[in-house]
Amino acid sequence: MADTMKSVAFDGARTATESPVKRFFRATEIDTRLLGMIGALLIIWVGFEILTGGLFLTPRNLWNLTVQTSSVAVMATGMVLIIVTRNIDLSVGSLLGFCGMIMGVMQAQILPAYLGAGSPMIWIVTLVVGIAVGASIGALHGLIIAFLNVPSFIVTLGGLLVWRGATWFVTSGQTVAPMDATFRLMGGGTEGSIGATASWIVGLIACLAIVAALLNARKQRKRFGFPRRPVWAEYVLGVLSCVLVLGAVLVANSYYWPVNIARRYAEANAIAWPEGGLQISHGIAIPVLIAVVVGIVMTFISTRLRFGRYVFAIGGNPEAAELAGIKTRWVTVRIFMLMGALCAIAAAISTARLNAATNAQGELDELYTIAAAVIGGTSLAGGTGTIAGAMLGAFVMQSLQSGMVLLGIDSPFQRIVVGLVLVVAVWLDTVYRARAK
């Protein structure tokens, strides 16, 4: 009892001496590293907005930015688990290209002969085959790494070369196009968006889900006797999250169809063309929805399932994890298998967006994916990383690239910037870990 009273008195004294800002962050439990990354993103946006003369923060550019980020963001969620276990995967870009080529050949050449051109099953079978191929290749990498004890760096470096070469051999270097009409919706564009009304519905559902998650977390903390956040902190988190979601929906709905496409749509549907033109909102793009769903699922896997706990346990101390009874080798196989499946999903988004499967597809994506995970707070020393951070890191990387394109900066210099950002991110992680000890 005396110890409890002393602890309460100490906490009260500490709270009284803390600044309001520290008390706010302690009460809301906001990840300061994630908040710092958001601050860096805002600085990048404001800087490019000034340098481009107001072109960067337009609804059109922000909408395109989210679509362009989707495929790398999907792969970055898997790369988090890879790096957390002290491994690396250098083959993701080549695997994306190979899966994309397989899916392109399936829907453009093979399936129409069996299912008939325009069959609604083409895109479904194509996606299933692509994910199966990606997961199988990932499992192969994992088996070699886990059971033959070959370092992941070497295995995936070999995979980078093997699957890039295999992509060429599938069609002898030829580009495969066009893709199935329904499959193309996964790439975004005018038709690959859900429109204004559906976007608001998705936004409201997301807000309800956020509120439900906060209430459930508070209930679980009370149930197990864990300390709960102050009620005002719960309100702040809920309001901030909902404002961000609805703000993103507003931006997506502020980007309208091009005039020519809107005019053709009006003519096809016998709609009178108004004097000021017909404004039809794109809304949220389908690839963005896919990336968000993947992020939610991967967050659930990494934080709520036993498999996720095993992953972080292995990254924290592999020897202790094995002594605790965790089958570390099979966990490694499943991680790389999951990474392969995510590469296939990213390949579907990329192929649908290009409306073609090419030999150059996915080149250097392995670097952007690793950079996104590291910038998002995933430590190369293992044991630390978040899915949300990696997806935000992908957004930061794409923002840099998009801003440099708008400024007319050459591609070689863009790669220099990406390399410097990656080195700085690793250095900051090293500094952060040293101070945390």
Side-chain angles (χ1 to χ4, degrees):
M1 183 67 180
D3 290 341
T4 303
M5 294 298 293
K6 288 180 181 179
S7 177
V8 171
F10 175 76
D11 289 340
R14 184 183 65 175
T15 302
T17 57
E18 282 181 342
S19 66
V21 175
K22 285 186 177 181
R23 286 203 300 270
F24 173 81
F25 284 122
R26 189 166 61 83
T28 56
E29 299 177 0
I30 295 176
D31 187 347
T32 53
R33 296 184 73 181
L34 196 63
L35 191 65
M37 194 163 26
I38 293 174
L41 180 63
L42 292 176
I43 292 172
I44 291 170
W45 282 8
V46 172
F48 279 129
E49 175 72 1
I50 295 172
L51 294 173
T52 59
L55 295 177
F56 189 84
L57 292 180
T58 59
R60 175 184 178 181
N61 188 60
L62 291 177
W63 189 90
N64 286 326
L65 189 59
T66 59
V67 174
Q68 293 163 359
T69 304
S70 299
S71 60
V72 172
V74 167
M75 292 191 293
T77 62
M79 189 62 72
V80 170
L81 302 187
I82 296 284
I83 297 178
V84 160
T85 55
R86 307 184 184 186
N87 288 299
I88 200 71
D89 193 340
L90 301 175
S91 68
V92 293
S94 297
L95 187 51
L96 182 152
F98 182 72
C99 291
M101 187 61 74
I102 292 294
M103 287 189 281
V105 171
M106 287 292 296
Q107 62 188 297
Q109 299 176 7
I110 298 175
L111 291 179
Y114 293 94
L115 301 176
S119 170
M121 290 298 296
I122 287 179
W123 76 273
I124 298 175
V125 176
T126 296
L127 191 59
V128 170
V129 169
I131 292 175
V133 169
S136 300
I137 294 173
L140 175 63
H141 290 172
L143 287 168
I144 296 172
I145 293 165
F147 290 94
L148 298 183
N149 295 319
V150 181
S152 60
F153 181 90
I154 299 300
V155 173
T156 57
L157 178 60
L160 181 151
L161 301 173
V162 169
W163 303 118
R164 182 59 64 188
T167 302
W168 189 92
F169 274 108
V170 171
T171 60
S172 298
Q174 296 180 0
T175 296
V176 178
M179 300 294 102
D180 177 75
T182 306
F183 183 86
R184 287 202 302 268
L185 299 180
M186 288 188 289
T190 302
E191 296 180 353
S193 306
I194 64 175
T197 302
S199 295
W200 284 119
I201 293 173
V202 169
L204 292 175
I205 292 174
C207 289
L208 292 175
I210 289 169
V211 173
L214 290 173
L215 291 174
N216 181 65
R218 189 172 182 84
K219 180 181 177 181
Q220 293 298 321
R221 288 187 178 203
K222 181 179 180 181
R223 177 186 174 187
F224 294 104
F226 294 153
R228 286 167 287 170
R229 288 186 288 253
V231 176
W232 67 263
E234 303 282 10
Y235 278 113
V236 168
L237 289 174
V239 170
L240 282 177
S241 300
C242 290
V243 166
L244 288 174
V245 169
L246 296 178
V249 173
L250 179 62
V251 172
N253 286 341
S254 299
Y255 177 39
Y256 303 110
W257 287 14
V259 175
N260 293 335
I261 295 177
R263 189 182 294 275
R264 287 198 298 270
Y265 176 82
E267 292 173 354
N269 292 273
I271 300 175
W273 186 259
E275 185 177 348
L278 190 64
Q279 292 185 331
I280 305 175
S281 297
H282 279 81
I284 303 173
I286 291 176
V288 176
L289 285 178
I290 294 174
V292 170
V293 170
V294 168
I296 293 172
V297 172
M298 290 296 292
T299 299
F300 180 80
I301 290 173
S302 62
T303 59
R304 299 294 181 182
L305 296 185
R306 185 183 301 173
F307 171 72
R309 294 195 293 270
Y310 287 171
V311 169
F312 282 88
I314 292 171
N317 192 324
E319 293 79 11
E322 192 160 2
L323 290 173
I326 298 174
K327 297 178 180 179
T328 56
R329 292 184 176 183
W330 284 112
V331 171
T332 300
V333 173
R334 281 185 283 175
I335 291 170
F336 279 90
M337 190 178 192
L338 182 60
M339 184 74 251
L342 292 172
C343 287
I345 295 173
I349 294 173
S350 176
T351 305
R353 182 165 168 261
L354 293 172
N355 192 24
T358 68
N359 292 289
Q361 200 171 338
E363 282 189 355
L364 294 181
D365 274 9
E366 55 276 346
L367 302 183
Y368 288 107
T369 303
I370 294 170
V374 173
I375 291 171
T378 305
S379 174
L380 291 173
T384 304
T386 63
I387 303 300
M391 298 185 76
L392 186 57
F395 203 42
V396 170
M397 295 299 300
Q398 190 58 51
S399 296
L400 283 170
Q401 191 173 6
S402 177
M404 288 187 288
V405 168
L406 288 176
L407 290 173
I409 296 175
D410 294 334
S411 179
F413 188 77
Q414 293 179 30
R415 296 180 182 181
I416 292 174
V417 172
V418 171
L420 291 175
V421 169
L422 180 58
V423 172
V424 171
V426 174
W427 171 70
L428 290 175
D429 175 70
T430 304
V431 173
Y432 180 85
R433 290 174 63 84
R435 290 183 177 181
K437 291 181 179 178

